[in-house]
Amino acid sequence: MTFLRSAFAGVGALFVSVLLFSFVITKIDVPDGVIRLLSSVALCAGCYAASYTCAKHRRKNGLITGLVCGAFTFAVIFLLSLIIFRGVTGGGGFFSKLLMILSCSAIGGIVGVNSNTLKQPK
């Protein structure tokens, strides 16, 4: 259940980021390089949110939790990329996307474990 909740948080953050960036792109003319950068930022936001949510709920092993969430996210993106595009596409390639996803997920896991929880009043 925790992993499912964190996946929804990651997809939600990704969706909100893409929606915001899409609105900005429709208002101004943006070069292709900036669009690739914005898509990477949206992916990082989704990975961070998923790992943060999962680690905050588990309250232990934040780095490991973040890396596992990141590895799962990368595996899903990699498999979808192979199925849809028949290869890894986009700016950066295989290793840069792996590094980006794992680092953002690890940071999200660390911050999630170390965040304060809201205590219920007595």
Side-chain angles (χ1 to χ4, degrees):
M1 192 64 176
T2 301
F3 199 71
L4 186 61
R5 186 181 305 152
S6 65
F8 281 127
V11 169
L14 179 68
F15 179 74
V16 169
S17 299
V18 168
L19 192 65
L20 177 69
F21 295 151
S22 297
F23 178 74
V24 170
I25 289 170
T26 60
K27 298 299 178 189
I28 58 174
D29 188 28
V30 178
D32 288 342
V34 174
I35 293 173
R36 286 189 197 112
L37 176 68
L38 292 177
S39 68
S40 296
V41 169
L43 179 61
C44 284
C47 291
Y48 177 87
S51 297
Y52 177 87
T53 305
C54 189
K56 185 169 178 127
H57 185 71
R58 291 191 66 216
R59 302 300 299 167
K60 62 181 180 177
N61 300 331
L63 180 62
I64 302 297
T65 301
L67 290 174
V68 168
C69 285
F72 181 75
T73 303
F74 180 77
V76 168
I77 291 171
F78 182 73
L79 289 174
L80 286 174
S81 180
L82 286 177
I83 292 168
I84 296 171
F85 300 113
R86 297 190 180 128
V88 179
T89 62
F94 180 85
F95 290 109
S96 64
K97 286 198 187 310
L98 177 63
L99 180 64
M100 179 178 59
I101 288 171
L102 288 180
S103 62
C104 290
S105 296
I107 292 169
I110 292 168
V111 173
V113 159
N114 293 317
S115 66
N116 293 331
T117 58
L118 297 175
K119 294 186 179 182
Q120 297 295 330
K122 293 182 181 181

